[in-house]
Each structure stands twice: as C-alpha cells, then as structure tokens.
Amino acid sequence: MDKKKLVYWLNILGLVLSVVSVFMLFLPSMQVTISETGKEVGLYNGFQTMFGYVEKTYGGVDTTVLGFSVMNFISGMLILLGVIVMFTNVFMPTLGGNKGKFVRSIVAIVLLIVGGILAMFSVAFVVTVGDKWIIFTKTLREGPILQGVIAILAGASVVMGMLIERSKAE
C-alpha cells in the first residue's frame, strides 16, 4: 500500500473514531450512590451531566438536580469540532493546499486529544444543585472513559498519518 492510501485510511479511521466518540455521550456517565449505604440513587448520561437534569417529584414539582456544566460542554464541543475538522481532512483534502491540510491536522489532533482528556474528568466538572449532595458519592462510569480513550485514539491516528505523510520516501 502506498503512502497516500495509508494516510487516507488513517484519516478515515480518525474520522470514524471521532464520530464514535461523540456517540459515547449516550452511555452512563455518572453514578450517584448514598455514601453510607452504597445504594444507587441515580445514573446520568453524558448529555445530562453536560446540560443539566430536572427531576419530577411525586407532588409534580420540578427539582433541578444537575446544572449546566461549562467544562463538560467544552469537552463535548472540542470533540465535535474535531469531527468537523476530520471531515474536511477526509473529504476536502486539497482545501488550502498542503499547508492547509497540515494546519487542519494539527488542529484536529489538539481538539481530539484535549477533548478526550477533558471528557475523562466529567464527574469532577458536574454542577450539582442543592445541599443534598453532601451525603452522595459521585462515581465515574464507562461513558466518559470510552469517549476519552476513543477520542485520543482518533487523534493518534491523525498523528500517525502526519508522520507517514512527512516521512521521506525510501
């Protein structure tokens, strides 16, 4: 396989992995348990930890449980912007010439890797509302871990493509 095809397929792999990373927001992100008993009282996905969550109580009263988290939003947007940059790298590689592709690749690497690292800290970034959270323990679940690892792998595939593209022909 020649260099151009290998770089193309590494960019396709990076695009697919980055899209899969966005879909990891649907997986459970945070588990809430009572500290003393260990009984589970809540399981929240990535969108709920990012945008907040409102529960309806028995009296029909809405209770805000989680607030909007700016840092979780930033991590999700970084990965989503990485998907867009990867899309342009794969389907419009001649846009801006070689220098444009190099810059887009660097931007995609930074967006995906930083977004993946921030995604793994999603429980630390959650905005809780009210005093009742003192008795609860927040635990990281599989969603942000998979999202972070897959986004970092997507960034690594772009790095590999850049290294192969910049290597001298033998």
Side-chain angles (χ1 to χ4, degrees):
M1 184 180 293
D2 65 341
K3 238 182 354 180
K4 277 190 168 187
K5 280 188 178 181
L6 184 59
V7 170
Y8 174 77
W9 284 108
L10 282 171
N11 281 332
I12 289 282
L13 177 67
L15 176 63
V16 169
L17 286 174
S18 59
V19 169
V20 168
S21 175
V22 171
F23 283 110
M24 294 298 119
L25 287 171
F26 292 104
L27 291 178
S29 179
M30 179 178 74
Q31 178 180 6
V32 178
T33 56
I34 298 175
S35 299
E36 295 174 1
T37 63
K39 179 183 175 197
E40 181 182 319
V41 292
L43 189 62
Y44 304 101
N45 66 26
F47 289 109
Q48 291 169 332
T49 59
M50 185 184 301
F51 294 112
Y53 181 64
V54 176
E55 283 184 350
K56 292 199 181 285
T57 58
Y58 295 112
V61 178
D62 291 346
T63 305
T64 302
V65 178
L66 300 175
F68 177 75
S69 172
V70 174
M71 288 303 291
N72 282 339
F73 182 73
I74 289 172
S75 72
M77 285 301 106
L78 287 175
I79 294 173
L80 193 59
L81 288 172
V83 169
I84 294 168
V85 172
M86 285 303 302
F87 185 82
T88 58
N89 267 358
V90 170
F91 295 108
M92 293 182 269
T94 58
L95 185 68
N98 285 337
K99 189 174 185 178
K101 184 170 183 186
F102 178 76
V103 170
R104 282 194 315 272
S105 295
I106 294 292
V107 168
I109 291 166
V110 170
L111 289 172
L112 291 169
I113 291 177
V114 171
I117 291 170
L118 287 177
M120 292 187 202
F121 291 103
S122 68
V123 171
F125 298 147
V126 168
V127 176
T128 55
V129 178
D131 294 336
K132 68 179 184 177
W133 288 93
I134 294 172
I135 63 168
F136 295 135
T137 302
K138 299 180 290 186
T139 309
L140 184 66
R141 290 295 301 258
E142 63 271 8
I145 296 169
L146 288 174
Q147 182 183 24
V149 168
I150 292 172
I152 291 170
L153 287 175
S157 73
V158 180
V159 169
M160 290 300 296
M162 282 183 62
L163 290 176
I164 291 171
E165 195 172 40
R166 299 283 178 206
S167 67
K168 294 185 179 186
E170 294 180 22

